Amino acid sequence: MEDIIHLLPDSVANQIAAGEVVQRPASIVKELVENSLDAGATLIQVLVIDGGRTSVQVIDDGKGMSETDARLAFERHATSKIIKASDLFALTTMGFRGEALASIAAVAQVELKTRRPEDELGTFIRISGSKVEQEEPIACPVGSNFSVNNLFFNVPARRKFLKSNQTELSNVAADFERIVLTHPEVHFELYNNGVEMYKLPQASLRQRIVDVFGKKINPDILPIEVETSLVTITGYVAKPETSKRRGSHQYFFVNGRYMRHPYFHSAVMHAYEDLIPVGEHVSYFIYLSVEPSTIDVNVHPTKTEIKFDNEQPIWQVLTATVREALGKYSNVPTIDFDTQDKPDIPVPGLLTDIPQPPKAVSTDYNPFRSSSSNRQPNVEGWESLYVDNIVKQKEPLQQTLWNENPQVEKPDLSTPHFQYKGRYIVKPTPSGIMLIDQHRAHVRVLFEQYMENLFQQQGVSQGTLFPEIAQFTKQETLTLEDIQADLESIGFELTNLGGGSYSITGVPSGIEGVNPIKLLHDLVASAMETGSSVKEKVHKAIALTMARAAAIVYGQVLSDEEIKLLLERLFDLSTPKFTPDGMVVYVVVDNTTIDKQFK
């Protein structure tokens, strides 16, 4: 029998490794820009075409590479960052695996131009699918110029899973933002199809945050800073009044590296406890500096999952630091009474000694001594005392008062009804009494209406008396452009003023009293969370956000006609029992349960 185990060719092994390192064009931008930072670059330009699907180019003014290094850099596990295994626990560079360039070259067509300051000529290399096609000297500036074209040209199965150009560009912008926020001392530029998206000169950290997310964020963030033997924490957190359900900018960095850390996120949210509504979030930009030996970044190829040796103490320091910043911001001066020349107000008996009450101790008391007066309890006939409980245990336990039968029980709309506490509509049914949550019922009705408008592109627009101006970040603008047709189909009329500004000249009919700017931001944030490439999910997110904003609020008094119309529209739906996000719309207290309460 022949041997069946064999070594994979390098090209195949590189393609397999590329599956983890190179997931989309944004991965290429991240890896190449991090290499530029490790090379000491002070100017980094990123140029993408078609969101990176066609081409990604990264140009830097770093120290460049020699001819030998340029050729060797594309080999697997070739790196200048570490030499021995112990170096993994003392990392000061962004990259260290030596897999990125080899993985990129395995699934794309790559060209490199690079030169060191001491060299007169640089090196040009062209690689396609891990195969070197051309290598020669070339005149070029100091630094490196990587051009990655036709990503996944030799892996069609992977290429078909790439999203639209707009979605891929949004992912590129997201990774680009994470990098530029850690290096405000470096000049960054990002272009898409020759159009400038970001131009970020060297600046302070606060100014870099403002340059990325707009001037509106500047007055809303508070500085934090603490230095301990365990960790140094700096950065900014947002004021409590800026909280919102979605769309917050939340970033953690450790030793200049972006990371995701749910545990530390809970520490920040714990500091905001009782300061923001439940379910809402705030923006924060938090930078942690620790000893490299106390963290492990070699957990995942993306290097965004990082393990800490001292997570719990850092959690406590982080919470205390954020609370201190919030306390300074919301510090209210204490009432300081003027005590100068105050009159002496005598208090009767203030200086009189109060005598202790007398203590009486019985020396004859013995708790273990039996007494003739003690009687033994009569235990005969004890069953009669628990007859009711024994009978009840034989009956099935009543877990809930509500009828959870998912079948729709349409009430007789001609019977009387009334509103209770400005929140519920009470309606008799053949099987009992129905309680309907008026807000959720309206959300259910409006959701179906907006979904129908999106499907048929028949939204009714209502012009605004004065145009409203909404400002968006670069990444939000990309998502807004992707869903603009959907927004217009439900009644929004938007005009792009440039620079992330949009004029709202029309809003959907029926959302009177709703802030259109806040609503538009919520819709964009929902689309960003859902993924703007999935049309049906985006439609549902838009319809649900619109329904929540336009639905009648708790406490609103409804007339009999309004209640009747709402119930008619609700029970004409195929699934009136639950809201689109799974909340119960109505419950029924059945007649049997009511009768039992009077027995």
Side-chain angles (χ1 to χ4, degrees):
M1 185 174 181
E2 296 182 0
D3 298 332
I4 60 174
I5 296 178
H6 57 275
L7 293 175
L8 289 174
D10 288 342
S11 59
V12 177
N14 286 341
Q15 287 188 15
I16 294 173
E20 290 185 338
V21 179
V22 184
Q23 300 175 356
R24 55 187 352 129
S27 305
I28 296 176
V29 172
K30 173 181 177 296
E31 297 294 344
L32 294 182
V33 172
E34 286 181 351
N35 283 344
S36 297
L37 292 171
D38 289 338
T42 58
L43 169 63
I44 300 176
Q45 296 174 303
V46 180
L47 300 87
V48 298
I49 297 177
D50 298 332
R53 290 164 55 97
T54 301
S55 173
V56 174
Q57 187 176 9
V58 176
I59 306 170
D60 67 62
D61 63 350
K63 58 186 178 183
M65 290 181 281
S66 65
E67 179 181 355
T68 303
D69 287 343
R71 176 66 182 84
L72 190 60
F74 291 96
E75 299 294 332
R76 285 193 71 193
H77 310 304
T79 178
S80 62
K81 316 299 173 59
I82 63 174
I83 298 175
K84 52 188 181 298
S86 59
D87 293 342
L88 290 172
F89 304 101
L91 291 171
T92 57
T93 57
M94 302 297 291
F96 57 88
R97 292 175 180 272
E99 291 181 333
L101 291 181
S103 299
I104 293 171
V107 293
Q109 298 167 335
V110 183
E111 293 183 356
L112 168 63
K113 300 175 184 177
T114 182
R115 182 170 75 87
R116 297 182 300 180
E118 62 269 26
D119 297 333
E120 292 185 1
L121 290 176
T123 301
F124 172 78
I125 294 179
R126 179 185 292 120
I127 299 179
S128 179
S130 296
K131 296 180 180 179
V132 179
E133 295 182 343
Q134 186 178 354
E135 181 178 356
E136 61 184 17
I138 190 176
C140 62
V142 173
S144 298
N145 182 340
F146 281 92
S147 180
V148 181
N149 304 309
N150 301 322
L151 179 61
F152 299 133
F153 78 99
N154 55 348
V155 192
R158 292 288 304 278
R159 186 171 179 84
K160 72 178 183 179
F161 284 107
L162 292 178
K163 308 301 181 183
S164 66
N165 293 349
Q166 205 73 14
T167 301
E168 295 300 342
L169 180 60
S170 178
N171 289 315
V172 168
D175 276 0
F176 183 81
E177 289 175 357
R178 294 167 185 166
I179 295 174
V180 301
L181 289 174
T182 58
H183 295 277
E185 75 283 359
V186 178
H187 181 113
F188 288 94
E189 296 178 6
L190 173 62
Y191 297 85
N192 178 52
N193 295 337
V195 178
E196 179 187 297
M197 288 185 61
Y198 292 90
K199 190 170 186 177
L200 307 171
Q202 298 176 351
S204 64
L205 176 58
R206 189 183 192 108
Q207 185 59 49
R208 174 58 57 86
I209 294 173
V210 172
D211 289 343
V212 173
F213 299 107
K215 296 179 180 178
K216 187 178 179 181
I217 199 174
N218 190 33
D220 294 337
I221 54 177
L222 308 170
I224 60 172
E225 183 175 2
V226 67
E227 183 175 353
T228 68
S229 59
L230 188 65
V231 61
T232 299
I233 301 176
T234 58
Y236 296 90
V237 295
K239 298 176 181 178
E241 57 265 28
T242 64
S243 67
K244 47 190 175 181
R245 287 196 170 272
R246 54 178 63 89
S248 298
H249 308 296
Q250 299 176 336
Y251 295 89
F252 275 118
F253 305 94
V254 58
N255 294 355
R257 188 187 306 273
Y258 169 78
M259 69 171 179
R260 295 185 179 93
H261 210 293
Y263 185 58
F264 289 164
H265 170 76
S266 69
V268 177
M269 291 298 102
H270 185 67
Y272 282 88
E273 197 172 22
D274 300 328
L275 296 178
I276 62 176
V278 177
E280 294 197 355
H281 299 273
V282 293
S283 298
Y284 55 76
F285 309 87
I286 298 178
Y287 298 76
L288 287 76
S289 179
V290 299
E291 283 293 327
S293 59
T294 63
I295 61 174
D296 183 7
V297 301
N298 191 26
V299 178
H300 191 272
T302 59
K303 309 184 191 78
T304 57
E305 300 176 15
I306 298 177
K307 291 186 177 180
F308 287 73
D309 287 346
N310 305 299
E311 282 190 345
Q312 188 172 358
I314 294 177
W315 191 98
Q316 295 171 347
V317 173
L318 181 57
T319 300
T321 303
V322 177
R323 278 183 174 170
E324 181 183 10
L326 296 175
K328 288 180 180 178
Y329 161 68
S330 59
N331 186 26
V332 179
T334 57
I335 299 177
D336 187 13
F337 294 102
D338 185 7
T339 57
Q340 188 175 3
D341 299 327
K342 66 177 181 178
D344 268 339
I345 303 176
V347 180
L350 182 62
L351 302 178
T352 305
D353 291 334
I354 301 175
Q356 293 285 339
K359 300 178 181 178
V361 180
S362 175
T363 56
D364 296 332
Y365 175 72
N366 185 349
F368 302 101
R369 182 184 304 164
S370 60
S371 174
S372 58
S373 61
N374 291 340
R375 297 180 179 179
Q376 296 296 326
N378 182 12
V379 296
E380 295 181 1
W382 63 270
E383 296 91 343
S384 62
L385 301 175
Y386 301 95
V387 170
D388 293 339
N389 285 342
I390 294 173
V391 173
K392 289 180 180 178
Q393 288 178 5
K394 294 179 181 179
E395 298 176 357
L397 294 176
Q398 183 70 24
Q399 296 293 339
T400 176
L401 291 176
W402 312 121
N403 177 13
E404 296 295 345
N405 185 357
Q407 294 180 354
V408 177
E409 181 180 6
K410 186 173 181 179
D412 184 359
L413 299 181
S414 63
T415 58
H417 52 252
F418 67 92
Q419 192 178 15
Y420 176 61
K421 296 178 66 174
R423 182 184 182 101
Y424 305 108
I425 298 171
V426 182
K427 188 80 175 173
T429 67
S431 62
I433 296 177
M434 179 179 288
L435 298 178
I436 305 157
D437 187 303
Q438 65 183 38
H439 173 75
R440 294 180 183 177
H442 203 199
V443 168
R444 175 76 257 185
V445 170
L446 291 177
F447 174 80
E448 297 295 338
Q449 175 184 323
Y450 290 131
M451 284 296 292
E452 184 69 17
N453 290 344
L454 284 167
F455 179 74
Q456 297 183 356
Q457 308 285 309
Q458 292 180 351
V460 179
S461 180
Q462 177 179 338
T464 57
L465 185 60
F466 299 102
E468 300 268 8
I469 306 299
Q471 186 70 35
F472 297 91
T473 65
K474 298 290 195 308
Q475 193 176 354
E476 290 173 338
T477 301
L478 295 174
T479 303
L480 178 58
E481 291 174 355
D482 212 21
I483 65 171
Q484 187 168 352
D486 294 329
L487 295 176
E488 291 174 350
S489 70
I490 59 175
F492 274 102
E493 293 181 1
L494 305 174
T495 303
N496 190 349
L497 303 179
S501 296
Y502 282 79
S503 173
I504 306 174
T505 56
V507 296
S509 179
I511 64 167
E512 292 78 7
V514 177
N515 185 338
I517 296 178
K518 183 179 183 303
L519 176 58
L520 196 57
H521 275 283
D522 288 344
L523 293 171
V524 172
S526 296
M528 292 175 67
E529 290 179 359
T530 306
S532 57
S533 62
V534 186
K535 214 67 171 176
E536 184 179 355
K537 289 184 178 180
V538 173
H539 285 178
K540 288 182 178 179
I542 292 174
L544 182 56
T545 304
M546 287 283 297
R548 285 173 176 166
I552 54 180
V553 297
Y554 294 122
Q556 181 174 339
V557 179
L558 304 177
S559 65
D560 288 344
E561 288 300 319
E562 289 173 330
I563 293 176
K564 186 175 180 181
L565 178 60
L566 176 60
L567 297 183
E568 286 177 351
R569 296 174 65 186
L570 174 66
F571 289 102
D572 279 342
L573 302 176
S574 58
T575 54
K577 176 75 173 178
F578 298 98
T579 61
D581 52 346
M583 306 297 289
V584 176
V585 175
Y586 66 84
V587 293
V588 176
V589 187
D590 57 51
N591 292 323
T592 305
T593 302
I594 297 174
D595 293 340
K596 281 184 178 180
Q597 306 305 313
F598 294 94
K599 289 184 179 179

